[in-house]
Amino acid sequence: QGMLVESGGGSVQAGGSLRLSCATSGRLDSNYRMAWFRQGPGKVRQGVATINTIGTTYYHYSVKGRFTVSQDDAKNAIYLQMNNLTFEDSAMYYCAADFSTLGLAASLREDLYRYWGQGTQVTVSS
């Protein structure tokens, strides 16, 4: 249940939208927190959005109101709907997950995540 595969990245003009998907190798039948992180060339990795088992979400200030993270436990997946994209949103986007028998708080602290996907590139043209 630790393998994550992202998809949905691509190139889009500023103001456009993309929907990223993150599929897990197993079922999301345990307590989890998952998150989207991004890292542009020469920039630090930044927490974008997070969600946990019970649906608590947090967003980085820069994307709040534009991005929406959601879950589909039946498909063992989470999504990131990105609207009104800007050039500053250009980055490699990574899905991350942590699982436990105990409840986990949603978090954008990257050190809390044990499993990471390979990333999907998002390029926004200004």
Side-chain angles (χ1 to χ4, degrees), residues 38 48 51-52 61 116:
R38 65 186 182 186
V48 178
I51 190 167
N52 71 353
Y61 181 84
W116 293 77

Side-chain angles (χ1 to χ4, degrees), residues 61-77:
Y61 181 84
S62 65
V63 307
K64 194 171 185 179
R66 299 188 297 119
F67 290 12
T68 303
V69 63
S70 60
Q71 65 201 148
D72 188 341
D73 290 345
K75 296 183 178 180
N76 306 316

Side-chain angles (χ1 to χ4, degrees), residues 24 26-29 32 71-77 79:
T24 69
R27 297 176 61 184
L28 295 177
D29 56 0
Y32 65 85
Q71 65 201 148
D72 188 341
D73 290 345
K75 296 183 178 180
N76 306 316
Y79 307 93

Side-chain angles (χ1 to χ4, degrees), residues 64-98:
K64 194 171 185 179
R66 299 188 297 119
F67 290 12
T68 303
V69 63
S70 60
Q71 65 201 148
D72 188 341
D73 290 345
K75 296 183 178 180
N76 306 316
I78 66 165
Y79 307 93
L80 185 67
Q81 179 66 45
M82 305 186 294
N83 298 326
N84 194 25
L85 286 161
T86 72
F87 177 76
E88 293 186 353
D89 295 318
S90 297
M92 182 72 74
Y93 282 71
Y94 299 92
C95 178
D98 192 26

Side-chain angles (χ1 to χ4, degrees), residues 2-9 21-23 36 45 92-96 115-121:
M3 184 176 180
L4 309 175
V5 180
E6 303 101 329
S7 62
S21 299
C22 175
W36 291 96
R45 186 141 60 187
M92 182 72 74
Y93 282 71
Y94 299 92
C95 178
Y115 305 100
W116 293 77
Q118 81 288 350
T120 184
Q121 181 67 45

